[in-house]
Amino acid sequence: MDCSQHYKMLKDMEKDPKNLAKYQKMYKYAYLLSDGVFKIVFTEEKSHSLLISLLNAMLDLHGGDAIGEISLEMQEFPGIFNKKNCIVDIIGTTNAGEKVLVEIQQQKDKFFKDRVEYYVSRVIENQVHKSEKFELPHIYFLGLLDFELFPEEEHEYIHHVDEMCHGKKFFPKIQKVFVEIEKFFKLEKLGFTKDDESDAAQWLRAIRVVIKEEPAPEKIMQNETFRRLLESVKLINFAEELFNCEVKKMTDVMAERENAFAEGKEEGRAAGFAEGKEVGRAEGASAERTKADQEKRQMAKSLKEQNVDVSIIAKTTGFSEEEIRSL
């Protein structure tokens, strides 16, 4: 199931949540890059072996540099006074004490790069306390993108972004890696990646099976990690409550994009509209976050009433276990 098919399913579930059963017959796999599905698939395992394999592949970590273990943490760094909250999809600490942030981005966003810098800065801020010396751990940021962020680099689908000075990395402790998933699919279709046997390419081929609903190649099925991935992301595994939480969020996002497109065609008529649109979008985004939070709380409460383990609810919704117990 791809993003547009996921959106159509959510629209139908908005009319009647029971419509999920119809889609479970139509599609084998859930949309892996939806926030809820991704978090469940990659954080539900106690060993986090799928997540570790994905990280090592995409960050190109091998041997002694590879992640062996990872402990996951709260997804939110609360704002202090007038600071915005920082909420990332997955954040964890490796066995080597390194920080890893994973962010899924389905749609192109004008301020995505700004948000990445803010997320990383908040993690940095959280590492140094008043009585400690300014020594930071290694910090990795992994962005998994369902759109093209670097269209000028036509044949590259993984991008390592660093601060450079005279041809050298200025601060190698912070590494940002962006993976353009849809671009890889295009390159694969055109044959540009046929000789790419990297771990990252193999992972993306497994993800392609899920998103494109394609038969799994024999090489993918021979890999135990990918077999577990394909099994865990089957649409039949997921209940209505998970998707109900995404219904309002997804429809609001799509509506905002459609409205922005329609407004964009008229923006030449009056320059004064530009400022008004930015204010309206900011207010709409704030209202959307409030509604999404309320819906997540309702979802958490519903899962709790069904006796779902509190730790799983916390990973799915981003709330702390204490907040969930108080619902």
Side-chain angles (χ1 to χ4, degrees):
M1 179 182 291
D2 63 22
C3 186
S4 62
Q5 293 161 344
H6 178 70
Y7 166 66
K8 189 175 187 305
M9 180 184 75
L10 294 182
K11 288 290 287 183
D12 280 355
M13 288 185 67
E14 185 178 32
K15 299 172 186 175
D16 182 357
K18 300 298 181 184
N19 279 328
L20 174 61
K22 177 178 72 174
Y23 284 86
Q24 288 174 330
K25 293 177 181 178
M26 293 171 58
Y27 297 102
K28 185 174 183 179
Y29 301 112
Y31 178 47
L32 182 59
L33 300 181
S34 81
D35 290 344
V37 172
F38 187 87
K39 289 171 187 174
I40 287 177
V41 169
F42 287 99
T43 66
E44 199 171 48
E45 284 184 308
K46 288 185 178 180
S47 65
H48 306 309
S49 59
L50 279 176
L51 177 60
I52 290 171
S53 175
L54 175 72
L55 290 171
N56 284 330
M58 298 306 177
L59 299 175
D60 196 25
L61 300 176
H62 306 278
D65 293 327
I67 299 170
E69 298 177 10
I70 190 168
S71 58
L72 301 185
E73 303 165 19
M74 288 282 293
Q75 297 163 282
E76 180 173 355
F77 288 98
I80 306 298
F81 297 112
N82 63 338
K83 290 184 180 178
K84 288 173 66 67
N85 286 2
C86 169
I87 304 175
V88 295
D89 288 324
I90 293 177
I91 182 168
T93 303
T94 72
N95 51 296
E98 301 164 327
K99 291 290 181 182
V100 179
L101 293 79
V102 183
E103 182 71 10
I104 310 301
Q105 186 71 15
Q106 301 168 16
Q107 308 289 345
K108 196 165 186 176
D109 180 349
K110 179 180 179 182
F111 297 108
F112 175 64
K113 295 178 184 178
D114 301 66
R115 188 150 46 86
V116 169
E117 295 300 324
Y118 181 69
Y119 287 173
V120 173
S121 70
R122 290 302 309 277
V123 173
I124 292 172
E125 180 185 38
N126 196 58
Q127 302 309 303
V128 179
H129 300 283
K130 198 170 184 179
S131 61
E132 297 178 352
K133 58 183 179 180
F134 289 90
E135 183 177 5
L136 297 176
H138 202 114
I139 299 173
Y140 294 101
F141 177 92
L142 174 62
L144 298 174
L145 317 178
D146 202 11
F147 65 93
E148 290 190 18
L149 184 63
F150 304 94
E152 66 280 1
E153 298 182 40
E154 297 180 2
H155 298 144
E156 298 293 330
Y157 63 91
I158 294 185
H159 308 271
H160 293 257
V161 179
D162 299 285
E163 286 186 273
M164 304 296 291
C165 182
H166 303 300
K168 295 182 180 180
K169 293 181 182 180
F170 175 71
F171 191 67
K173 279 188 174 183
I174 297 178
Q175 290 182 257
K176 305 184 190 81
V177 178
F178 299 89
V179 182
E180 296 174 300
I181 295 174
E182 187 60 36
K183 182 187 283 186
F184 175 84
F185 294 166
K186 292 179 181 178
L187 293 172
E188 185 88 339
K189 187 175 182 179
L190 294 171
F192 287 105
T193 56
K194 64 179 180 180
D195 297 324
D196 189 343
E197 295 298 323
S198 65
D199 292 341
Q202 298 301 344
W203 254 101
L204 289 170
R205 289 177 183 126
I207 292 173
R208 180 185 171 93
V209 170
V210 173
I211 292 179
K212 301 296 185 182
E213 294 276 341
E214 296 179 346
E218 183 178 351
K219 193 166 186 178
I220 296 298
M221 294 308 298
Q222 289 174 348
N223 186 301
E224 181 184 351
T225 296
F226 297 146
R227 288 201 304 272
R228 284 191 288 110
L229 171 71
L230 297 181
E231 183 62 34
S232 64
V233 79
K234 285 182 177 178
L235 186 56
I236 196 71
N237 295 341
F238 300 94
E240 292 174 13
E241 287 76 15
L242 172 65
F243 298 116
N244 287 339
C245 180
E246 295 191 349
V247 165
K248 184 61 177 175
K249 176 183 175 183
M250 177 63 81
T251 52
D252 280 354
V253 168
M254 295 302 290
E256 183 180 348
R257 292 180 67 217
E258 291 166 2
N259 290 339
F261 178 75
E263 291 169 354
K265 291 194 297 184
E266 301 294 329
E267 65 181 3
R269 291 185 178 182
F273 285 171
E275 182 177 353
K277 282 189 293 183
E278 290 300 324
V279 172
R281 286 173 184 169
E283 292 175 349
S286 177
E288 179 185 333
R289 285 192 294 271
T290 300
K291 291 178 181 178
D293 184 70
Q294 292 173 345
E295 288 162 4
K296 282 201 298 182
R297 288 185 183 281
Q298 185 58 43
M299 175 188 173
K301 185 176 180 181
S302 176
L303 292 173
K304 180 184 174 186
E305 291 171 351
Q306 296 179 55
N307 295 320
V308 175
D309 188 86
V310 172
S311 62
I312 294 176
I313 300 175
K315 291 174 183 176
T316 303
T317 63
F319 294 130
S320 69
E321 294 187 8
E322 290 74 15
E323 286 180 291
I324 293 166
R325 292 191 182 95
S326 68
L327 294 175

